[in-house]
């Protein structure tokens, strides 16, 4: 049996997504910038996807800009906002648990002369709101937080953050990395006070290499990729029609079944958690099961190195992650776990299980059966 529990790293494309990707690569393959019929046909896929995304988010189609994925969306939001608004101030704020696609651009901004404030989080991975309130200033021009943490599934209070940012720092833009949240939650940026929103397609059964950035029409953003002037000059480069078309199909399918899928994910998470807690020396990390994101469960198997357990499970056809899989196949220190104040021994024994609606209870039963067998053996082995 095979059980894939690494859906926060990437998901399997829906068959309908694969079909439209093939169609736009082999039949409707025109360049959407071309004026002939083939170009018009290709451009329609882009318009259709914009319409789908705008309807889901309740925003305007002209506020959707396609990118190569979550990393580019984050970079465009952060560098674009910081550079376009530098005359109003050079103070930016983020948190200690951001993905590297936010954390490293923030480090670069600091090297460029911006003042970067990094906010602490509590033991569940949620940002300290009092620290945010104290950090906001008249010269704050940008605040960036994730919606859902990719390592432990902590959910940030984005609506409260958005309200506080706009109240205390009216010139500031609020950017949200929603890469683990889009497709799991109803997100309405204008109602929530979100000015910039990053999304990646392959986290919701769409193709890899495509995503989008929502940019509030009132936000000042400086383009980062110049060239042919596509997408109103905000993001030049020939549009990735197959990826964009696939993203549209995936987003529509996910949001057509949002509530039932989310409930299924919560039930899978609770079922696995119940089984894990019956094992000796296993603890769960992050928020309460229903408070945190439905698709992510972080667990520490004390006394066993995460890589050892990960590969033992892999040998049995069970695929999980030791932290985030987005940066490289090489294991790096888990920044989120450290920021949460987790001891080193616990960090080094932590696995992330992440689900999709395609997972089954039978797969979890199989996973628990294997864990009951291998955990005591690995723990004994590690002590010698």
């Amino acid at each position: 049996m095979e059980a894939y529990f690494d859906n926060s790293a990437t998901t399997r494309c829906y068959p309908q997504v694969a079909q439209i990707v093939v169609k736009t690569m082999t039949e409707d393959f025109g360049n959407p910038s071309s004026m002939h019929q083939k170009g018009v046909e290709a451009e329609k896929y882009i318009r259709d996807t914009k319409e789908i995304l705008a309807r889901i988010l309740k925003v305007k189609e002209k506020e959707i800009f396609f990118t190569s994925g979550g990393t580019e969306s984050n970079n465009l939001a952060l560098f674009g906002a910081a550079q376009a608004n530098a005359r109003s101030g050079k103070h930016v704020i983020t948190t200690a648990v951001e993905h590297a696609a936010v954390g490293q651009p923030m480090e670069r901004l600091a090297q460029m002369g911006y003042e970067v404030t990094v906010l602490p989080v509590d033991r569940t991975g949620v940002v300290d709101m009092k620290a945010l309130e104290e950090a906001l200033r008249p010269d704050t021009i940008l605040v960036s937080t994730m919606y859902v943490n990719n390592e432990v599934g902590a959910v940030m209070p984005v609506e409260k953050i958005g309200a506080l940012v706009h109240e205390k720092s009216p010139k500031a833009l609020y950017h949200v990395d929603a890469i683990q949240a889009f497709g799991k939650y109803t997100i309405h940026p204008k109602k929530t006070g979100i000015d910039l929103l990053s999304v990646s397609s392959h986290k919701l059964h769409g193709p890899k290499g495509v995503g989008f950035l929502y940019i509030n029409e009132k936000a000042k953003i400086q383009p980062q990729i110049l060239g042919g002037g596509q997408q109103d000059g905000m993001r030049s480069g020939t549009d990735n029609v197959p990826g964009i078309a696939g993203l549209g199909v995936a987003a529509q399918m996910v949001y057509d079944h949002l509530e039932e899928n989310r409930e299924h994910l919560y039930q899978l998470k609770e079922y696995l958690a119940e089984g894990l807690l019956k094992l000796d020396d296993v603890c769960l990390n992050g928020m309460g099961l229903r408070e945190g994101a439905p698709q992510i469960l972080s667990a520490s198997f004390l006394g066993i190195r995460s890589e050892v357990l990960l590969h033992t499970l892999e040998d049995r056809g069970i695929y999980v992650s030791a932290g985030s899989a987005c940066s490289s196949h090489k294991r790096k220190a888990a920044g989120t776990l450290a920021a949460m104040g987790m001891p080193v021994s616990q960090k080094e024994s932590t696995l992330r299980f992440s689900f999709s609606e395609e997972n089954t209870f039978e797969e979890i039963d199989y996973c628990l059966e294997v864990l009951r067998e291998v955990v005591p053996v690995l723990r004994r082995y590690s002590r010698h």
Side-chain angles (χ1 to χ4, degrees):
M1 187 175 188
E2 187 171 286
Y4 181 77
F5 297 131
D6 200 16
N7 289 279
S8 285
T10 198
T11 53
R12 185 183 74 92
C13 269
Y14 288 135
Q16 297 92 325
V17 170
Q19 289 168 9
I20 200 166
V21 168
V22 171
K23 188 173 189 293
T24 50
M25 294 179 77
T26 59
E27 297 178 29
D28 302 330
F29 55 84
N31 187 323
S33 296
S34 298
M35 297 180 68
H36 51 64
Q37 186 60 31
K38 279 288 186 186
V40 172
E41 292 170 355
E43 187 183 20
K44 186 177 185 303
Y45 287 101
I46 298 174
R47 291 201 313 270
D48 289 348
T49 297
K50 278 199 172 192
E51 181 182 339
I52 290 167
L53 298 174
R55 185 171 62 249
I56 289 169
L57 295 174
K58 293 190 175 180
V59 300
K60 298 178 181 178
E61 293 175 30
K62 67 178 182 179
E63 296 175 309
I64 302 292
F65 296 89
F66 298 109
T67 67
S68 63
T71 296
E72 186 192 335
S73 293
N74 285 338
N75 275 254
L76 174 55
L78 300 179
F79 289 119
Q83 292 168 6
N85 296 279
R87 289 186 178 180
S88 297
K90 301 191 79 172
H91 180 232
V92 298
I93 299 174
T94 189
T95 82
V97 295
E98 298 304 309
H99 189 277
V102 167
Q104 290 188 17
M106 285 293 184
E107 291 174 4
R108 179 64 59 85
L109 287 174
Q111 294 168 4
M112 295 165 59
Y114 290 81
E115 181 185 350
V116 180
T117 297
V118 180
L119 302 174
V121 297
D122 63 21
R123 297 188 70 83
T124 69
V126 176
V127 66
D128 184 329
M129 291 295 290
K130 184 177 180 182
L132 171 61
E133 184 173 7
E134 292 173 351
L136 289 166
R137 309 186 321 218
D139 63 336
T140 303
I141 57 169
L142 175 65
V143 176
S144 179
T145 76
M146 50 181 33
Y147 195 126
V148 168
N149 181 267
N150 53 293
E151 290 189 47
V152 298
V155 180
M156 297 294 182
V158 292
E159 189 164 359
K160 292 181 180 178
I161 295 172
L164 187 60
V165 168
H166 294 303
E167 175 191 347
K168 298 274 291 184
S169 301
K171 296 179 181 177
L173 297 177
Y174 179 35
H175 166 249
V176 170
D177 174 344
I179 290 162
Q180 296 290 348
F182 188 81
K184 307 298 186 297
Y185 293 93
T186 299
I187 305 174
H188 296 150
K190 293 186 185 297
K191 179 182 177 182
T192 316
I194 298 171
D195 302 296
L196 306 162
L197 186 88
S198 300
V199 174
S200 179
S201 164
H202 73 104
K203 308 296 187 181
L204 55 134
H205 306 283
K208 295 177 180 65
V210 64
F212 72 89
L213 178 67
Y214 156 75
I215 304 177
N216 186 302
E217 62 181 337
K218 297 178 182 178
K220 288 168 55 179
I221 298 292
Q222 184 169 304
Q224 300 298 299
I225 299 179
L226 307 177
Q230 290 89 347
Q231 301 198 70
D232 297 326
M234 181 56 70
R235 199 277 191 179
S236 291
T238 302
D239 299 291
N240 175 8
V241 178
I244 292 168
L247 165 58
V249 171
Q252 186 67 69
M253 291 179 67
V254 164
Y255 274 91
D256 279 347
H257 303 281
L258 180 68
E259 299 298 333
E260 60 193 86
N261 286 348
R262 185 166 56 201
E263 180 58 29
H264 179 62
L265 293 173
Y266 272 127
Q267 291 181 12
L268 291 171
K269 179 181 177 180
E270 290 169 337
Y271 190 61
L272 178 59
E274 182 182 1
L276 291 178
L277 290 175
K278 292 178 181 178
L279 300 173
D280 291 335
D281 294 324
V282 174
C283 58
L284 306 182
N285 307 312
M287 306 176 78
L289 296 178
R290 286 271 171 166
E291 294 175 313
Q295 79 275 24
I296 297 174
L297 181 66
S298 173
S300 298
F301 298 79
L302 303 180
I304 306 173
R305 291 189 65 85
S306 54
E307 291 89 344
V308 174
L309 183 51
L310 182 152
H311 290 302
T312 302
L313 293 175
E314 179 188 7
D315 289 341
R316 306 294 186 93
I318 300 168
Y319 300 94
V320 299
S321 173
S324 171
C326 298
S327 54
S328 121
H329 64 278
K330 297 178 181 177
R331 180 74 169 123
K332 297 182 179 180
T336 295
L337 304 182
M340 290 165 58
M342 188 176 291
V344 173
S345 59
Q346 187 175 342
K347 284 193 297 179
E348 292 179 346
S349 66
T350 298
L351 292 182
R352 180 189 69 183
F353 300 83
S354 52
F355 316 106
S356 83
E357 71 273 16
E358 296 181 339
N359 286 124
T360 66
F361 293 100
E362 289 74 20
E363 290 172 338
I364 292 179
D365 282 332
Y366 173 60
C367 180
L368 289 170
E369 178 186 335
V370 171
L371 286 169
R372 284 192 290 268
E373 175 189 342
V374 303
V375 164
V377 176
L378 293 176
R379 193 168 278 135
R380 284 197 302 270
Y381 177 80
S382 68
R383 289 170 180 166
H384 290 83

